[in-house]
Amino acid sequence: MKLLVGKTDITQLVASAVWSGDYQQCARSLDFSFASSPTDKSIPVVKCALGSPVTLYEGSTDLFEGWVFTLGKSTSASTIDVGCFDRGIYLKKNEASYKFTNTTPEAVTRRIAADFGIPVGTIAATGYKFSRNFLGDDLYSIIETAYSLASQKNGKKYHIVFRGKNLCIVEKTVTNSTLIIEGGSNLMDATMSQSIEDLVDRVAIYDKNDKLVKKVDDSGLIKLYGVMQNYLKQEEGEDSNAKAQKILRDNDVQQKITINNLGNIANVTGGTVVVHEPYTGLYGLFYIDSDEHTWKNGIYTNKLIVNFKNIMDEQDAGSLPNKDGSKTT
C-alpha cells in the first residue's frame, strides 16, 4: 500500500487504512489514520485539510482518487483520523432537473456527464428507451433510475463506479477476474445467517376501486412458512403481475454471508467470487454486495458481503410525463 496526501507520501505514518464500497453507494470511501503530534518533533507535520486530494495505490495500481471530507483530531491522541470519498460523491451532492423523451439510460448518462464536465469511460448500452421527468433529483438517482427501468425489462443488473477520473456504468456479470476463495488457502473465516422476518410469499393485487383482482403466490414458501401477504395497487398501464413477481423475488428468504479473506484488489463491489467452505455449506458463485479492504500492521485483508443473487440499487426517482401534469421537451 502507498498513500499520498497531495504529493506527500505518508505511507510510513499510516497506522491503518480501509478502502470500501457498497452496491447501494455510488462513491467508494477511504478511511485512514496517520501519526501526528503537537509536541513530538520527530513526527513530520503533514498538511492535510478538508478538500485535500488523496491517492491510494497497491503496488503500481491506482485504487483510489478522492478528497478529504472529514478530519478528526484530539490533543489526547497521537493520530489524525481522515475520511475520504472518490468522485462518486458528487453524483449524490449535485441535483438537477431534466425532462427526457424516448431516450436511453446510456444517453441520459452521457448528457448528465457532459453538463457537469464529468469524463466518461465504459457506459453499458441497453437500447431501452423511456420518457421521464426528473425535477430536483440528485444525479445518482437519475442515472440509477434510468438503468433500473432498463433492468426491469432486460433482467440485467448494473453498477455505477468511478475508475480514476472516468464515470463508468458496468453490467454486473461473471468475469475472468473471478477469484476462488477456499479454506486452507486464502479464506480466513466465513459466517452465514438466514431470516424470514421480511418474507413475502403472497401478493394480493387490487384495482383502482380497491377490489381484489388476483393473488400471486410462492406456494413452496407458503407451505414452509405460512402466508405473509403484501398489498399491491394496480396502476393503469402497469404490468402488475410482473411487479408482484418482483416483490416475491426481492422478499424471499434473506441470507447474509460475510467472508474474511487474504486481501486481493480484484474483490470489489459489482464483481464475483467463487467460495468453497464445507462447514457453512458455502459452495459456488457469489456476487459481491460490499467490500472492505484493510491494511493494518503490514497485513492486507478483505471483508466481503456476498450474495447468491445478482442485485442492484434499484431507484425510482422522477415521474412519468403524464403523472405530474407537465410536458416533455
Side-chain angles (χ1 to χ4, degrees):
M1 179 199 74
K2 180 180 179 181
L3 202 156
L4 304 182
V5 176
K7 295 183 179 180
T8 304
D9 186 344
I10 67 166
T11 306
Q12 299 304 316
L13 300 175
V14 175
S16 64
V18 178
W19 173 56
S20 61
D22 186 282
Y23 82 97
Q24 293 179 307
Q25 303 294 330
C26 56
R28 291 190 65 83
S29 63
L30 175 65
D31 298 287
F32 63 92
S33 59
F34 67 92
S36 178
S37 173
T39 58
D40 189 344
K41 303 303 180 182
S42 66
I43 299 177
V45 176
V46 177
K47 293 181 66 175
C48 183
L50 294 176
S52 294
V54 174
T55 312
L56 174 70
Y57 297 88
E58 175 65 15
S60 60
T61 303
D62 182 347
L63 296 182
F64 177 90
E65 295 180 11
W67 294 269
V68 175
F69 272 72
T70 63
L71 280 172
K73 303 179 182 179
S74 173
T75 56
S76 62
S78 58
T79 59
I80 295 178
D81 299 321
V82 184
C84 311
F85 291 106
D86 72 4
R87 290 171 174 81
I89 193 67
Y90 293 101
L91 295 183
K92 295 290 286 186
K93 293 296 184 180
N94 285 276
E95 298 176 346
S97 290
Y98 288 96
K99 296 179 180 180
F100 295 111
T101 304
N102 196 33
T103 191
T104 63
E106 48 269 35
V108 166
T109 303
R110 293 185 185 279
R111 165 73 184 279
I112 290 173
D115 288 350
F116 284 82
I118 303 171
V120 297
T122 301
I123 303 295
T126 66
Y128 170 75
K129 292 187 176 182
F130 71 101
S131 298
R132 204 170 184 91
N133 293 345
F134 298 96
L135 306 177
D137 293 299
D138 64 77
L139 305 185
Y140 171 74
S141 295
I142 295 172
I143 296 172
E144 193 70 15
T145 295
Y147 274 93
S148 294
L149 293 172
S151 175
Q152 291 169 17
K153 294 297 182 180
N154 63 22
K156 297 179 180 180
K157 305 299 179 182
Y158 302 93
H159 181 57
I160 298 176
V161 65
F162 272 82
R163 291 173 175 165
K165 297 177 176 61
N166 294 332
L167 168 63
C168 299
I169 315 292
V170 296
E171 183 184 343
K172 295 178 64 181
T173 59
V174 181
T175 67
N176 292 332
S177 62
T178 297
L179 299 175
I180 297 176
I181 300 176
E182 58 186 339
S185 177
N186 52 354
L187 177 68
M188 297 164 62
D189 62 74
T191 60
M192 181 178 68
S193 61
Q194 295 178 301
S195 172
I196 58 170
E197 289 181 310
D198 298 318
L199 177 70
V200 175
D201 52 23
R202 170 178 288 165
V203 178
I205 302 173
Y206 290 81
D207 65 16
K208 62 182 180 180
N209 298 314
D210 225 29
K211 291 185 178 180
L212 180 65
V213 177
K214 65 176 178 178
K215 296 177 181 178
V216 180
D217 292 348
D218 187 320
S219 57
L221 292 180
I222 289 176
K223 185 177 181 180
L224 287 171
Y225 307 118
V227 175
M228 300 186 194
Q229 179 172 296
N230 186 257
Y231 169 94
L232 176 62
K233 188 70 168 286
Q234 183 172 292
E235 300 288 345
E236 185 176 349
E238 179 182 68
D239 186 348
S240 56
N241 188 70
K243 192 169 184 178
Q245 292 290 351
K246 184 178 183 304
I247 291 171
L248 294 177
R249 288 195 305 271
D250 291 347
N251 296 276
D252 59 4
V253 178
Q254 298 297 304
Q255 293 184 321
K256 182 177 181 180
I257 302 167
T258 304
I259 295 169
N260 290 288
N261 59 278
L262 299 181
N264 192 304
I265 61 173
N267 293 336
V268 292
T269 299
T272 54
V273 291
V274 173
V275 182
H276 294 164
E277 203 295 301
Y279 179 70
T280 54
L282 297 177
Y283 282 95
L285 178 75
F286 296 85
Y287 295 88
I288 302 174
D289 286 350
S290 71
D291 65 277
E292 287 186 6
H293 297 245
T294 301
W295 292 264
K296 188 174 183 179
N297 299 325
I299 300 174
Y300 172 32
T301 59
N302 294 163
K303 178 180 179 181
L304 309 177
I305 307 297
V306 300
N307 200 325
F308 285 108
K309 296 186 292 184
N310 188 7
I311 59 177
M312 65 182 286
D313 183 22
E314 297 191 24
Q315 298 281 317
D316 189 25
S319 61
L320 295 173
N322 63 354
K323 283 194 174 184
D324 64 358
S326 61
K327 297 181 180 179
T328 56
T329 58

